[in-house]
Amino acid sequence: MKKWQDAAVLEENRLPARAYAIGYQDEVTALTGQRGLSDQFLPLSGRWRFRFFEHPDDVPAEFVSETQAWDTIDVPSLWQTRGYGNLQYTDEGYPFPIDPPFTVSANPTGAYQRTFELTAADLTRRIVLRFDGVESYAEVHLNGAYIGMTKGSRLAAEFDLTPHARSGENLLSVTVHQFSDASYIEDQDMWWASGIFRDVYLLLRPEARIDDLAVVTTFDDAVVDATLSVRADVSAAVSRVDHRLVDAAGTTLLEGSVAPGPEGIALSLAVPAPRQWSPEDPYLHTLVLTVRDAAGEVTEVLAQRVGFREVVIRDGLLHVNGRVITMHGVNRHDHDDRDGRAVGMDRVERDLVLMKRHNINAVRTAHYPNDPRFYELTDRLGLFVVAETDLESHGFANVGNISRITDDPAWEAAYVDRIERHVAAQRNHPSIVMWSLGNESGYGTNIRAMNARCKELDPTRPVHYEEDRDAEVVDVVSTMYSRVSQMNDFGEFPHPKPRILCEYGHAMGNGPGGLAEYQRVIDRWDTIQGHFIWEWCDHGLLTRDALGREFHAYGGDFGDYPNNANFCIDGMILPDQTPSPGLAEYKQVIAPLKLSLADGELTVRSAYQFTAVADTDLVLVTQVEGRTVASRTVPLPPLAPGGTTTVAIDAPAGEGEAFLTARVVRRGPTPWADAGHE
């Protein structure tokens, strides 16, 4: 059986999953966080030689060892958006007959090549090749030698090139198959497309290095003083690691040095009353780790951002930093209207800024891990993340058994591999408050195994999976598209575990509707602790009609069949990131300051969950018959979460229809909005 159609073969020679981290040559450079300044980072993204084949067997044997005079293609990109192969959109259905682990007989294949230069000094280091995303199956060769293979499209994959790397020019050859057995668990309501769609780069690792890192923050019972726990796996050449914790102003809070033991580095550091991380105040400290070899020389410096944040379930409620929370969220796919899932980080940041500007405080990564830099942005900008791994087998619903492979032990290793790689890579991010085992894949033995492995790797966060309907093993009970009346019943008769609506308010056509009605119920019950609109962005792809006019295409516009037509046009923003009227409505119903007018008084109530109202004005304009008769600005006093204040409102003189317009604006700028933001 071929490796791309064998569910028992997940990888060959892929390195174990680890926390995403880049080492630097000195502390000053490490503190910039710019990986392009690291002497360990060698980017390979750019133009690669490329040829498209209808079947893997059509790729010429000499491809792996000889430079080919082929066309070129952008990396990262999806080859379908560059004119190769066919785009197809389905929601839950597979684009191939259901016969696991087999998919298609003629499997579209992309053959990629590029060269890179290494020096003799580079060869004294460990040469690691890293893919942040390649779909769906990839084989790697270097200078004609087989390096390995990987599955798991939206999970990072690393390979050790050191034994086959040479000084001077090196030839890297990568074969990518569009479909594999892994496609059965990558059926996530999006365009079927393939390629090296995220960055590719080399990491030139020193002999004395940190191989993996895990940081955990906890608080005392009063949620004031904290403990920072650090565990690091280090190579045998490390003699000691110096550590220093600094705040955002660069002030050193503590420092020390430790020699590795048999199991690496383990630290438990007391941090008195640190400023805490929350979406409302995403304050980040930095843990600087300086690695030294046997001669005492610095070999690398890591600067790990730390947010002091603790997630606890107590009395059936989810608490963050001791406070009961509500997540006002959206489900977000990666999508660009020109490049599909090959999304640049500038667009990702614009997505997150738009969320912050519309009062959204949470995002579910539907339905796969993002580029590792996404989580750095959510840490910095301040968003709760329900971090979902790369898993959905929705298409089995079409044959009457959505749990078919989810409850098949033969697929357990493939399922567990998905959560293991995800948690290991992202567990150091304070913005992640919950892991999610996947989406719409039924329920069975493999979900139970995933949950157990997730808890082994990270016992500090709750685990979510919607189709564990009674929360048999997971920590959060979840539903999709429950009616308002149902949600009220859920609140009145609560489950012993916290509840979220992982999908609701389908934003298609003139939707989402009923948001105010939903919000009244959500605000009424503490036990409903999250709600996530489906979904963030329309998945339209920019194309041209026969007359050369641009339009955004959807399923069927590329001759694809079967397809689910415009079901991918269901977002709160248009394909070009223009906000929709639905997003404006959502912003209003989840606004963190609530206004009500009665008996000549305007009452302002704070719905912030962590921070006091500050730097905020109330702008009041009175109009009679369309003419402004009064205007004033009232600085709001500091209001604790849940606190209120009142403002006297004088009735306008004269007769006619009168309106009071109240706008709440920030006085100063934030990292995500200019001064005067409403």
Side-chain angles (χ1 to χ4, degrees), residues 190-464:
M190 57 191 181
W191 292 95
W192 291 92
S194 190
I196 304 174
F197 67 95
R198 289 182 185 158
D199 275 345
V200 189
Y201 42 98
L202 298 182
L203 297 173
L204 311 180
R205 306 288 281 123
E207 185 178 358
R209 62 185 180 270
I210 291 176
D211 286 324
D212 196 11
L213 177 67
V215 299
V216 174
T217 60
T218 54
F219 288 102
D220 61 9
D221 291 342
V223 197
V224 175
D225 296 329
T227 299
L228 173 61
S229 301
V230 182
R231 181 191 59 76
D233 297 334
V234 300
S235 65
V238 174
S239 67
R240 76 174 195 268
V241 176
D242 303 331
H243 59 271
R244 189 165 73 94
L245 182 69
V246 299
D247 63 17
T251 302
T252 299
L253 303 182
L254 54 86
E255 57 187 330
S257 185
V258 62
E263 297 185 357
I265 299 293
L267 297 169
S268 181
L269 307 172
V271 186
R275 186 166 163 181
Q276 300 176 9
W277 185 96
S278 75
E280 297 162 19
D281 182 22
Y283 190 89
L284 293 172
H285 296 71
T286 303
L287 177 65
V288 180
L289 299 172
T290 301
V291 180
R292 297 182 183 273
D293 61 15
E297 296 295 322
V298 173
T299 59
E300 71 170 357
V301 180
L302 268 62
Q304 174 64 49
R305 305 296 186 240
V306 175
F308 282 89
R309 187 274 299 127
E310 183 178 40
V311 185
V312 173
I313 295 177
R314 186 171 61 249
D315 300 326
L317 295 174
L318 183 68
H319 295 71
V320 173
N321 298 350
R323 297 176 182 269
V324 177
I325 67 160
T326 304
M327 293 179 283
H328 307 294
V330 291
N331 287 274
R332 179 191 172 276
H333 270 288
D334 273 334
H335 185 73
D336 181 275
D337 64 341
R338 296 177 185 271
D339 295 319
R341 281 187 295 288
V343 180
M345 291 310 296
D346 53 347
R347 178 166 177 131
V348 172
E349 185 165 6
R350 285 196 301 271
D351 275 349
L352 300 180
V353 165
L354 277 170
M355 291 178 195
K356 292 290 291 186
R357 289 178 180 175
H358 288 83
N359 297 325
I360 291 163
N361 74 351
V363 57
R364 177 182 176 220
T365 61
H367 301 287
Y368 42 79
N370 283 239
D371 185 294
R373 294 168 292 176
F374 170 91
Y375 306 96
E376 294 177 346
L377 287 169
T378 55
D379 289 346
R380 177 170 61 84
L381 292 171
L383 286 153
F384 286 135
V385 177
V386 175
E388 198 149 271
T389 198
D390 193 9
L391 183 81
E392 182 169 337
S393 62
H394 200 169
F396 284 101
N398 290 350
V399 293
N401 184 7
I402 195 171
S403 303
R404 177 168 162 182
I405 61 174
T406 299
D407 203 31
D408 181 351
W411 285 76
E412 179 179 315
Y415 276 62
V416 172
D417 178 69
R418 301 273 163 151
I419 194 65
E420 182 175 270
R421 290 161 67 189
H422 181 36
V423 173
Q426 314 303 348
R427 61 186 164 188
N428 294 332
H429 292 284
S431 55
I432 296 176
V433 293
M434 194 181 299
W435 300 112
S436 181
L437 304 180
N439 186 67
E440 294 179 319
S441 299
Y443 187 65
T445 184
N446 298 335
I447 296 298
R448 290 189 283 270
M450 290 178 78
N451 180 74
R453 182 57 177 148
C454 187
K455 290 296 181 61
E456 288 175 358
L457 290 167
D458 180 17
T460 71
R461 290 179 176 91
V463 179
H464 164 272

Side-chain angles (χ1 to χ4, degrees), residues 508-627:
M508 190 170 187
N510 288 331
L515 294 185
E517 291 82 359
Y518 267 114
Q519 202 63 41
R520 281 194 289 271
V521 172
I522 290 163
D523 291 344
R524 184 179 302 147
W525 304 109
D526 284 346
T527 52
I528 303 173
Q529 296 200 255
H531 53 105
F532 296 80
I533 293 286
W534 187 265
E535 65 174 308
W536 175 244
C537 182
D538 288 342
H539 295 214
L541 288 169
L542 194 65
T543 188
R544 294 181 183 274
D545 65 14
L547 299 178
R549 298 171 298 191
E550 288 188 336
F551 71 102
H552 283 110
Y554 48 77
D557 284 335
F558 297 99
D560 46 312
Y561 181 83
N563 67 76
N564 285 101
N566 64 344
F567 203 66
C568 61
I569 307 297
D570 56 0
M572 299 286 272
I573 63 171
L574 307 187
D576 63 0
Q577 292 185 297
T578 300
S580 71
L583 183 56
E585 180 185 3
Y586 194 43
K587 174 183 179 178
Q588 187 71 10
V589 300
I590 62 174
L593 289 173
K594 309 298 184 183
L595 309 182
S596 58
L597 182 64
D599 300 326
E601 282 191 334
L602 183 68
T603 299
V604 182
R605 179 178 64 83
S606 171
Y608 285 110
Q609 302 176 78
F610 297 93
T611 57
V613 172
D615 196 33
T616 302
D617 288 333
L618 191 63
V619 179
L620 303 173
V621 176
T622 302
Q623 292 182 311
V624 177
E625 294 296 327
R627 181 173 58 87

Side-chain angles (χ1 to χ4, degrees), residues 124-135:
T124 65
R125 299 184 171 204
R126 190 187 198 200
I127 314 298
V128 175
L129 172 68
R130 180 180 171 100
F131 297 94
D132 282 335
V134 54
E135 186 167 348

